[in-house]
């Protein structure tokens, strides 16, 4: 590996694992979401679960959505045991009719949604050369990672517009900025959501609605467990990633990323070939384990 590739690879590792995580003060999070309704998708595990717990502790009414009903019920018990208010809405969000019914159920239960966190997603890691007979990889990632969050935005935005206030957090990945190899289907779906979010954010800012694109780094959850090459890689805990999202509930930024991620974005514009080198360096580094 050339020195340039090594540097690029090291820079990428730092970006993925070394950000300083802003932890919101309990009091400021309580001021931001206390008494408000927060809908968290993908709440049964990983980052969504950790965030739901944090929102419950901050006094929000938390609406939990994911497929695994038992995991949601267990989480709801935990939130209630800590004095929180919670409702459980099992749903396969890939099914847009089921999603509509769930959105209606949440709105009927709570009247409106103040904060929507589009967190549920699936990741697929596969070379394009192994994907020619697997077009469903693209369809499945687009369905859950792009169409479902957009549809949920459409369901909760009318209430937010009426209230003249609301916040939507769309969970993306630093990969959207760094474009590592072998994740084309996943990154394509996340990049589509990113573009949609940024356009809607600009459109609705005057209406009192904020939309945050959250570019998360590597996080140790079920999502990365099947990828052996990530075993020793630096990664946040689910709680640290939830802290990032909780801080966004306080500050409501348009973009949320570790500082190095924003540098990466700038580098993508001024020196795109260096990022290509990063991608190739990663490919070589991980090639031996796959
Ligand atoms: N982990 C990382 O390294 C990483 C890095 C960057 C960005 N992110 C993003 O962060 C978010 C959370 O990721 P995570 O690592 O916490 O993932 P995770 O541990 O795999 O959890 C995914 C969550 O989504 C839910 N889900 C999956 N398919 C669903 C479906 N069809 N309908 C409803 N819910 C569904 C899962 O619950 P059920 O199985 O019960 O449905 C689970 O609660 C995702 O948007 C991901 O893209 C993760």
């Amino acid at each position: 590996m050339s020195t340039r590739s090594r540097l690029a690879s090291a820079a990428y590792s730092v970006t993925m694992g070394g950000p300083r995580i802003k932890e919101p003060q309990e009091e400021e999070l309580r001021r931001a979401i206390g008494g408000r309704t927060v809908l968290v998708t993908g709440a049964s595990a990983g980052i969504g679960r950790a965030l739901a717990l944090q929102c419950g502790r901050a006094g929000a009414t938390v609406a939990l959505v994911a497929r695994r009903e038992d995991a949601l019920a267990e989480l709801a018990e935990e939130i209630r045991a800590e004095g929180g208010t919670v409702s459980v809405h099992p749903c396969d969000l890939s099914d847009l009719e089921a999603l509509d019914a769930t959105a209606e159920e949440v709105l009927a239960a709570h009247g409106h949604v103040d904060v929507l966190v589009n967190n549920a997603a699936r990741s697929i890691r596969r070379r394009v050369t192994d994907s020619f007979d697997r077009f469903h990889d693209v369809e499945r990632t687009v369905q859950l990672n792009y169409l479902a969050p957009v549809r949920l935005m459409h369901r909760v935005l009318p209430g937010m517009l009426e209230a003249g206030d609301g916040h939507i957090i769309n969970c993306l990945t630093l990969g959207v900025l760094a474009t590592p190899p072998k994740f084309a289907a996943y990154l394509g779906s996340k990049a589509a959501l990113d573009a949609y979010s940024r356009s809607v954010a600009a459109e609705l800012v005057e209406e009192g609605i904020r939309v945050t694109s959250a570019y998360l780094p590597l996080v140790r959850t079920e999502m990365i467990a099947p990828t052996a090459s990530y075993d020793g890689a630096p990664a946040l805990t689910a709680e640290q990633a939830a802290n990032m999202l909780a801080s966004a509930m306080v500050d409501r930024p348009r973009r949320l990323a570790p500082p190095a991620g924003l540098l990466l974005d700038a580098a993508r514009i001024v020196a795109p070939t260096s990022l290509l080198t990063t991608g190739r360096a990663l490919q070589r580094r991980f090639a031996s384990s796959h």
Side-chain angles (χ1 to χ4, degrees), residues 226-243:
T227 309
S229 54
Y230 284 156
D231 282 353
L236 302 187
T237 62
E239 288 71 25
Q240 287 173 316
N243 279 339

Side-chain angles (χ1 to χ4, degrees), residues 166-180:
H167 186 201
I168 295 169
I169 300 177
N170 288 321
C171 291
L172 307 168
T173 159
L174 265 187
V176 169
L177 307 179
T179 336

